[in-house]
């Protein structure tokens, strides 16, 4: 479901007239819906380490380099060089003074920090992306902006989460007649996403009952 379709679903739930193009969205309530859709989409992507956010990239580290531009838009899960896992360290001073452990890395502003090596290295990085939207060409970005943009949250969960989550925020009134319905549908979709987002069939959540 693309951006325009999500907006129209929200308009329908909120008893507003639907539109044929985003150019028709000129009212303050329209702008609010568009803004809240982006907020809700990013919040849902950031509340869990979802499998659908996992990405992999490769980074070349030149000989004798102790810092390189950080290409990662998101949170690093694994950083591996020469089949060795490097652990994150928050002690940036050790890297600046050349005293850091060889198998560690750190981050300062837009740079990744490493110990010096007399040979070039290649780092394989697994990370959770912070880019929550995909355009019509498959390029990932931060926010919805074009009508054909889609959320990277998988369907059918994306529709229910984004539409009901947006309606909850736009109305923000628990006494509103449809508020409880929206809340229950949102919670159901979030629960279903958590239980069904595993990649491996054996990684599904389970309940264990223990006897005393």
């Amino acid at each position: 479901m693309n951006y325009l379709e999500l907006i129209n679903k929200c308009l329908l739930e909120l008893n507003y007239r639907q539109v044929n193009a985003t150019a028709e969205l000129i009212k303050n309530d329209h702008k609010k819906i568009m803004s809240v859709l982006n907020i809700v989409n990013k919040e849902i992507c950031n509340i869990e380490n979802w499998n659908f956010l996992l990405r992999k990239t490769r980074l070349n580290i030149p000989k004798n380099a102790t810092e390189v531009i950080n290409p990662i838009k998101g949170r690093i899960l694994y950083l591996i060089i020469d089949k060795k896992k490097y652990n994150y360290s928050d002690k940036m001073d050790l890297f600046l003074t050349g005293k850091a452990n060889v198998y560690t890395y750190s981050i300062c502003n837009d740079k990744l920090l490493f110990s010096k090596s007399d040979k070039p290295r290649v780092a394989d990085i697994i990370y959770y992306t912070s880019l929550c939207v995909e355009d019509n060409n498959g390029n990932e970005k931060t926010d919805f902006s074009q009508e054909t943009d889609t959320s990277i949250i998988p369907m059918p969960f994306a529709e229910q989460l984004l539409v009901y989550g947006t309606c909850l925020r736009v109305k923000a009134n628990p006494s509103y007649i449809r508020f409880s319905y929206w809340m229950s549908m949102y919670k159901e979709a979030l629960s279903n996403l958590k239980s069904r987002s595993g990649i491996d069939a054996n990684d599904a959540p389970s309940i264990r009952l223990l006897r005393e």
Side-chain angles (χ1 to χ4, degrees):
M1 177 164 283
N2 64 36
Y3 187 33
L4 180 60
E5 291 169 334
L6 288 169
I7 292 171
N8 272 324
K9 281 278 188 177
C10 291
L11 292 172
L12 183 63
E13 286 290 330
L14 294 165
N15 293 318
Y16 294 134
R17 184 176 65 85
Q18 294 181 292
V19 298
N20 295 312
T22 53
E24 299 175 32
L25 300 168
I26 57 176
K27 298 180 180 180
N28 287 336
D29 284 347
H30 292 158
K31 302 298 183 184
K32 186 174 183 180
I33 290 170
M34 295 166 73
S35 174
V36 172
L37 258 173
N38 272 305
I39 292 171
V40 172
N41 189 50
K42 282 185 280 192
E43 283 186 350
I44 293 169
C45 287
N46 287 320
I47 60 174
E48 294 277 346
N49 290 333
W50 305 110
N51 286 324
F52 59 80
L53 297 177
L54 284 173
R55 301 290 184 272
K56 179 182 178 182
T57 191
R58 181 161 282 186
L59 175 67
N60 292 314
I61 307 170
K63 175 183 177 179
N64 294 324
T66 58
E67 60 180 48
V68 293
I69 296 293
N70 181 10
I72 304 302
K73 292 179 172 62
R75 294 165 291 130
I76 294 174
L77 178 61
Y78 300 120
L79 190 150
I80 299 171
I81 300 175
D82 294 330
K83 299 183 179 180
K84 295 283 188 180
K85 178 184 174 183
Y86 280 51
N87 295 313
Y88 172 75
S89 171
D90 59 359
K91 300 184 185 300
M92 289 181 288
D93 58 307
L94 297 181
F95 293 88
L96 299 175
T97 57
K99 297 178 181 178
N101 185 292
V102 174
Y103 300 118
T104 59
Y105 73 95
S106 191
I107 297 175
C108 181
N109 293 328
D110 61 344
K111 301 287 183 63
L112 288 173
L113 308 180
F114 299 93
S115 297
K116 183 180 288 188
S117 173
D118 59 3
K119 62 179 182 179
R121 292 167 287 175
V122 177
D124 288 309
I125 303 174
I126 305 294
Y127 66 99
Y128 291 101
T129 182
S130 60
L131 304 179
C132 306
V133 174
E134 188 174 89
D135 68 18
N136 204 33
N137 296 315
N139 300 311
E140 293 181 345
K141 56 185 184 177
T142 304
D143 295 304
F144 292 111
S145 58
Q146 303 299 316
E147 294 178 0
T148 54
D149 290 345
T150 57
S151 172
I152 66 170
I153 300 171
M155 288 294 287
F157 313 107
E159 177 184 348
Q160 196 166 323
L161 285 167
L162 296 180
V163 172
Y164 297 128
T166 298
C167 291
L168 287 169
R169 288 289 189 87
V170 170
K171 282 300 180 182
N173 182 2
S175 63
Y176 184 75
I177 190 169
R178 292 183 64 80
F179 192 90
S180 295
Y181 170 74
W182 293 334
M183 179 64 77
S184 65
M185 296 299 286
Y186 175 85
K187 287 182 176 179
E188 177 185 298
L190 187 59
S191 177
N192 286 336
L193 178 59
K194 288 180 178 180
S195 65
R196 300 177 189 175
S197 63
I199 296 173
D200 193 302
N202 296 315
D203 193 35
S206 60
I207 299 174
R208 296 177 61 196
L209 300 177
L210 303 179
R211 292 183 178 179
E212 295 185 356

